[in-house]
Amino acid sequence: MEARVTSQSQPFRLMARMEEAKVLHGQEVRADLPNVRVTALAGSGEGQALFCTIGPIRVREVLHRGDNQPLPTDVTVQGLAVPMAGTYDIFNARVSSNGDIALVVDDKTGLVPAVKENGFDGSYAFS
């Protein structure tokens, strides 16, 4: 299921976590984004990315420097495909913040189900 940003995605939460991590406008980084939730959209094979529970972002590498302008408020997601709805930790994603905040999952990105204190988040069906 390919995830996209919708009106329920709460992109302001991603923006706030980027500000905490000191990601600047115009900057492009490789970063880890914990606890990104993906839910299925009814009646389609698509999903929506939800940033309401996103944890602190860890910047791994700065690819391009930025400036001191405000971060964009619109968010796009590319390449975020998951096998089922749930909460995921995204490792080494490419995040840029020029025009829109773009979260790109590419061949250098790892994606694993998020683990909470008591195990998986409960949205997984294991048999």
Side-chain angles (χ1 to χ4, degrees):
M1 149 177 36
E2 183 92 16
R4 61 185 173 93
V5 175
T6 69
S7 59
Q8 289 85 30
S9 293
Q10 298 185 0
F12 64 90
R13 295 284 297 140
L14 175 60
M15 192 174 107
R17 290 297 191 182
M18 289 175 66
E19 288 173 345
E20 288 173 7
K22 309 240 184 298
V23 177
L24 303 172
H25 174 271
Q27 197 170 39
E28 184 173 359
V29 300
R30 285 277 176 186
D32 299 338
L33 296 95
N35 295 321
V36 174
R37 186 154 180 76
V38 177
T39 60
L41 289 170
S44 75
E46 294 183 317
Q48 65 180 341
L50 300 172
F51 302 109
C52 49
T53 60
I54 189 170
I57 293 174
R58 180 179 152 240
V59 174
R60 292 173 167 249
E61 178 183 6
V62 175
L63 304 172
H64 297 287
R65 289 198 260 188
D67 54 40
N68 287 324
Q69 300 299 316
L71 287 174
T73 57
D74 291 330
V75 174
T76 61
V77 174
Q78 299 171 14
L80 180 55
V82 298
M84 66 182 82
T87 304
Y88 292 87
D89 291 337
I90 305 171
F91 296 101
N92 203 37
R94 189 165 44 95
V95 180
S96 60
S97 59
N98 193 14
D100 290 338
I101 295 172
L103 167 59
V104 179
V105 174
D106 59 18
D107 61 339
K108 296 179 181 177
T109 305
L111 186 71
V112 297
V115 177
K116 297 192 176 185
E117 278 184 36
N118 296 323
F120 290 106
D121 75 350
S123 62
Y124 303 95
F126 293 103
S127 53

